[in-house]
């Protein structure tokens, strides 16, 4: 089982990069940089590539709508080059609020577009001339939609690897099934190891049944907040504002993927109340309404023995990468948490 860390995107990136350098020394395997309506993830990953030497780096995730498929592939090849083959391309659809509200791009056909983006990226990395006639992307652009002067081109540079790993952030059953079929890894969010099979098991099995064996096993990521110790009970409260943001504010009232997930976990009434408070601007009350049991179910928080039991549960559920968020007061404590987790995983 690998240990990764998802970095914050709202500020303080240089300080976080310094933390990644320290965590690399104690065995952190993967650093993931998200992208929302923040600084872009790509420039920050280039900075991390220069500051580190062994840790794997990934976007977690970039929306498929905000760059052309060829640009996504070019960018991934460039980051793989500057990191000496340490990059993974994390993709996702994001949601209408970000895609349409911030980028002004229609949020349409998420499944079809995801499949075609993956196929085009892999053609670029193999340095094939881009001739692609999909439902959503056409390369070159046909004469009736352009000048007719476009010609099939291939990437000028030779990528470090012709197969750069791709993981996909997915929550809905159809998207999870697609991910299990075509991706190298799957990044869900708010993973409860006791409910992975009941919520996503059928979709994972259906996707794996269609999976190309040459892709190898699917890397399944858990995303728990992390705090280990006899005196970390207060960290439960640290998680609640983030959960309130996602369940209450990441999407419209009738289209919020994270609210839907909490409902499938059995917290439907609580999710409704959190959303009601959050959308009314009562964010502190929304955070307070997040149940302790929900936080515990998706976290690694508590004494070492309890956390070790929870790690074993993640492994039993098929998780192969723990993408943690250390709930630490300083760098030293974050390093200690990762060191302790490393011994449990080992």
């Amino acid at each position: 089982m690998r240990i990764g860390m998802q970095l914050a995107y709202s500020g303080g990136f240089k300080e976080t990069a310094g933390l990644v350098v320290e965590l690399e020394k104690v065995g952190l395997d993967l650093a993931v940089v998200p992208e929302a309506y923040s600084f872009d993830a790509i420039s920050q990953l280039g900075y991390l590539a220069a500051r580190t030497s062994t840790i794997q780096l990934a976007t977690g995730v970039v929306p498929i709508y905000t760059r052309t498929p060829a640009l996504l592939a070019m960018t991934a090849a460039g980051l793989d080059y500057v990191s000496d083959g340490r990059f993974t391309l994390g993709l996702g659809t994001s949601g209408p609020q970000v895609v349409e509200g911030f980028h002004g791009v229609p949020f349409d056909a998420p499944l079809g577009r995801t499949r075609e983006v993956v196929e085009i990226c892999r053609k670029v990395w193999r340095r094939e001339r881009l001739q692609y006639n999909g439902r959503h992307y056409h390369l070159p652009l046909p004469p009736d939609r352009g000048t007719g002067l476009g010609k099939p081109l291939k990437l000028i540079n030779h990528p470090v690897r012709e197969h750069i790993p791709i993981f996909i952030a997915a929550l809905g059953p159809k998207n999870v099934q697609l991910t299990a079929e075509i991706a190298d890894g799957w990044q869900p969010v708010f993973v409860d190891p006791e409910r992975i099979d009941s919520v996503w098991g059928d979709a994972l099995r259906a996707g794996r049944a269609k999976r190309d064996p040459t892709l190898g096993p699917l890397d399944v990521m858990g995303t728990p907040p992390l705090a280990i110790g006899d005196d970390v009970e207060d960290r439960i409260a640290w998680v609640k504002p983030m959960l309130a943001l996602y369940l209450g504010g990441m999407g419209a009232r009738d289209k919020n993927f994270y609210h839907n997930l909490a409902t499938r976990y059995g917290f439907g009434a609580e999710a409704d109340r959190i959303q009601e408070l959050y959308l009314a601007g009562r964010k502190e009350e929304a955070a307070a309404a997040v149940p302790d049991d929900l936080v515990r179910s998706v976290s690694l928080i508590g004494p070492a023995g309890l956390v070790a039991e929870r790690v074993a549960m993640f492994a039993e559920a098929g998780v192969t990468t723990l993408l943690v968020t250390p709930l630490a007061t300083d760098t030293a404590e974050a390093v200690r948490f990762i060191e302790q987790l490393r011994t449990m995983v080992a």
Side-chain angles (χ1 to χ4, degrees):
M1 183 182 284
R2 295 190 304 169
I3 299 175
M5 175 179 167
Q6 184 152 297
L7 279 58
Y9 54 72
S10 58
F13 181 80
K14 289 186 178 180
E15 293 77 12
T16 304
L19 172 60
V20 171
V21 170
E22 294 303 312
L23 293 176
E24 182 181 46
K25 298 174 185 177
V26 298
L28 188 71
D29 299 300
L30 173 68
V32 173
V33 179
E35 183 175 285
Y37 42 101
S38 53
F39 289 151
D40 74 290
I42 307 307
S43 58
Q44 298 183 73
L45 281 161
Y47 182 84
L48 271 181
R51 294 286 308 275
T52 59
S53 57
T54 61
I55 195 169
Q56 299 292 307
L57 304 172
T59 51
V61 296
V62 292
I64 60 169
Y65 295 96
T66 59
R67 298 166 176 85
T68 67
L71 178 57
L72 282 166
M74 293 163 62
T75 300
L79 282 171
D80 206 44
Y81 171 72
V82 299
S83 66
D84 296 319
R86 292 186 285 134
F87 179 68
T88 293
L89 178 61
L91 298 173
T93 59
S94 188
Q97 188 173 40
V98 172
V99 172
E100 296 185 356
F102 192 70
H103 293 282
V105 177
F107 185 87
D108 67 339
L111 292 175
R113 287 188 183 277
T114 298
R115 182 184 290 276
E116 293 187 14
V117 165
V118 170
E119 291 175 353
I120 292 169
C121 282
R122 288 175 173 159
K123 288 175 71 73
V124 171
W125 299 330
R126 293 192 299 265
R127 298 191 72 243
E128 298 176 9
R129 293 195 180 275
L130 277 187
Q131 292 180 295
Y132 188 89
N133 291 308
R135 183 173 182 179
H136 308 287
Y137 299 101
H138 303 274
L139 299 165
L141 201 64
D144 62 335
R145 296 179 57 189
T147 64
L149 298 177
K151 303 298 180 186
L153 300 173
K154 65 180 179 180
L155 189 69
I156 293 173
N157 310 85
H158 289 259
V160 173
R161 295 178 291 175
E162 70 170 23
H163 184 95
I164 295 171
I166 294 174
F167 66 69
I168 296 174
L171 292 178
K174 291 182 179 179
N175 205 356
V176 171
Q177 179 176 332
L178 176 69
T179 299
E181 177 188 348
I182 68 172
D184 298 274
W186 169 46
Q187 184 188 347
V189 69
F190 308 138
V191 175
D192 179 348
E194 295 184 88
R195 294 182 172 95
I196 285 181
D197 189 68
S198 63
V199 174
W200 292 301
D202 289 345
L204 288 169
R205 284 184 283 272
R208 283 171 168 144
K210 300 178 180 179
R211 185 176 181 82
D212 184 342
T214 63
L215 286 173
L218 182 71
D219 182 10
V220 176
M221 299 183 177
T223 55
L226 173 70
I228 305 172
D230 297 326
D231 57 349
V232 296
E233 189 70 12
D234 62 315
R235 313 299 164 90
I236 295 287
W238 294 20
V239 181
K240 292 187 177 186
M242 182 265 294
L243 277 169
L245 166 63
Y246 277 78
L247 271 61
M250 284 292 194
R253 189 180 299 275
D254 59 345
K255 197 174 185 66
N256 182 313
F257 308 127
Y258 312 100
H259 179 285
N260 294 345
L261 178 60
T263 299
R264 296 173 75 188
Y265 278 176
F267 294 93
E270 294 87 344
D272 287 345
R273 179 59 176 161
I274 293 163
Q275 186 180 64
E276 177 187 346
L277 291 167
Y278 201 95
L279 294 179
R282 298 156 65 183
K283 296 180 181 180
E284 291 185 3
E285 293 178 64
V290 175
D292 287 1
D293 286 348
L294 176 57
V295 177
R296 294 183 192 281
S297 70
V298 299
S299 301
L300 293 172
I301 300 175
L306 174 63
V307 172
E309 291 176 6
R310 295 279 297 164
V311 168
M313 291 172 63
F314 274 100
E316 180 67 22
V319 171
T320 50
T321 297
L322 284 173
L323 194 60
V324 301
T325 302
L327 305 173
T329 56
D330 55 28
T331 297
E333 189 174 51
V335 170
R336 177 167 61 82
F337 289 163
I338 296 298
E339 286 181 313
Q340 289 177 283
L341 183 62
R342 170 56 63 198
T343 62
M344 295 173 188
V345 169

